[in-house]
Amino acid sequence: DAGVIQSPRHEVTEMGQEVTLRCKPISGHNSLFWYRQTMMRGLELLIYFNNNVPIDDSGMPEDRFSAKMPNASFSTLKIQPSEPRDSAVYFCASSLIYEQYFGPGTRLTVT
Amino acid sequence: AQKITQTQPGMFVQEKEAVTLDCTYDTSDPSYGLFWYKQPSSGEMIFLIYQGSYDQQNATEGRYSLNFQKARKSANLVISASQLGDSAMYFCAINAGGTSYGKLTFGQGTILTVHP
């Protein structure tokens, strides 16, 4: 069975550019989560969706970040404009009941 | 709000021995879940084990067991018969009920090194 799929795996961009991260959750899972991991702040939840509806976006750092889930099999996290402090690993995770299964992550570097 | 504290930044263990990774938590919700994840150097997050707050018995998954002491608010991970492949970062996490259900809060992690 395919796990959570994220693309791209690595992204290097210049400050000010738009970045779009993509996630395909495990089929049948009804919740999707976006996390960010940095050395300084550890793992932080940015936003999560249940049945494609955003439930809690209190972790989204600022208006430059936005997330969508147009259907049960796809979600995007967009950063516009990107800044060097956005450099991190971004994980997508999905769940059905309790445990969350994580994708491989996207390593974002903003120069 | 929920909080997880992992007080051991790093732990060392000899191959084939058991090791306990500490985790204490804080929540005001009566219903919550506790999780452990493994993050090897390759970066992926691997789900290991789950314990619900109302579960009467400690959770076990193969060589992993969760020592759940509710009164002490601790949820330590025990790895038996350590293997070299167990060397990784380990995260404890909690989710709670109510409107925050599903939202995982992670600790800072413990780096485990298994020596041959």
Side-chain angles (χ1 to χ4, degrees), chain A residues 44-85:
Chain A
E44 305 173 279
L45 177 70
L46 300 177
I47 185 171
Y48 83 92
F49 296 85
N50 185 255
N51 293 323
N52 311 339
V53 176
I55 301 299
D56 186 342
D57 65 354
S58 60
M60 296 286 261
E62 48 199 275
D63 292 345
R64 297 185 297 107
F65 285 69
S66 63
K68 294 182 180 180
M69 191 166 185
N71 57 62
S73 59
F74 184 66
S75 176
T76 59
L77 178 68
K78 185 178 293 186
I79 308 172
Q80 165 65 16
S82 58
E83 296 182 3
R85 59 193 168 118

Side-chain angles (χ1 to χ4, degrees), chain A residues 62-110:
Chain A
E62 48 199 275
D63 292 345
R64 297 185 297 107
F65 285 69
S66 63
K68 294 182 180 180
M69 191 166 185
N71 57 62
S73 59
F74 184 66
S75 176
T76 59
L77 178 68
K78 185 178 293 186
I79 308 172
Q80 165 65 16
S82 58
E83 296 182 3
R85 59 193 168 118
D86 302 330
S87 297
V89 178
Y90 291 81
F91 287 102
C92 175
S94 71
S95 75
L96 179 59
I97 303 176
Y98 299 120
E99 56 264 32
Q100 296 180 19
Y101 293 93
F102 282 68
T106 295
R107 182 172 295 277
L108 173 65
T109 303
V110 184

Side-chain angles (χ1 to χ4, degrees), chain A residues 33 35 37 39-43 45 48 55-56 58 91 97-104, chain B residues 35 37 39 42-47 50 91 95 99-108:
Chain A
F33 307 81
Y35 291 90
Q37 185 178 32
M39 288 293 293
M40 291 298 294
R41 300 175 68 89
L43 269 159
L45 177 70
Y48 83 92
I55 301 299
D56 186 342
S58 60
F91 287 102
I97 303 176
Y98 299 120
E99 56 264 32
Q100 296 180 19
Y101 293 93
F102 282 68
Chain B
F35 304 77
Y37 284 83
Q39 186 174 42
S42 52
E44 70 267 35
M45 292 285 289
I46 302 168
F47 166 74
Y50 164 82
F91 291 98
N95 75 357
T99 57
S100 296
Y101 187 77
K103 182 176 178 177
L104 277 179
T105 300
F106 286 85
Q108 288 302 305

Side-chain angles (χ1 to χ4, degrees), chain B:
Chain B
Q2 286 66 241
K3 185 178 179 182
I4 291 285
T5 302
Q6 295 180 254
T7 57
Q8 306 155 316
M11 287 286 286
F12 295 88
V13 66
Q14 205 72 24
E15 194 179 10
K16 298 181 184 177
E17 292 185 351
V19 63
T20 298
L21 306 183
D22 294 342
C23 171
T24 57
Y25 61 90
D26 189 27
T27 180
S28 56
D29 281 293
S31 176
Y32 52 89
L34 294 154
F35 304 77
W36 278 92
Y37 284 83
K38 172 184 178 182
Q39 186 174 42
S41 58
S42 52
E44 70 267 35
M45 292 285 289
I46 302 168
F47 166 74
L48 295 178
I49 197 167
Y50 164 82
Q51 177 88 41
S53 58
Y54 293 120
D55 293 343
Q56 294 298 311
Q57 294 193 336
N58 287 344
T60 60
E61 290 286 348
R63 294 185 300 110
Y64 304 109
S65 61
L66 200 152
N67 185 1
F68 182 45
Q69 297 188 42
K70 199 169 183 177
R72 294 186 176 185
K73 293 192 173 181
S74 75
N76 298 339
L77 177 70
V78 180
I79 305 175
S80 63
S82 297
Q83 301 172 355
L84 296 178
D86 294 335
S87 293
M89 176 78 90
Y90 288 80
F91 291 98
C92 181
I94 185 172
N95 75 357
T99 57
S100 296
Y101 187 77
K103 182 176 178 177
L104 277 179
T105 300
F106 286 85
Q108 288 302 305
T110 296
I111 299 175
L112 175 66
T113 304
V114 181
H115 289 302

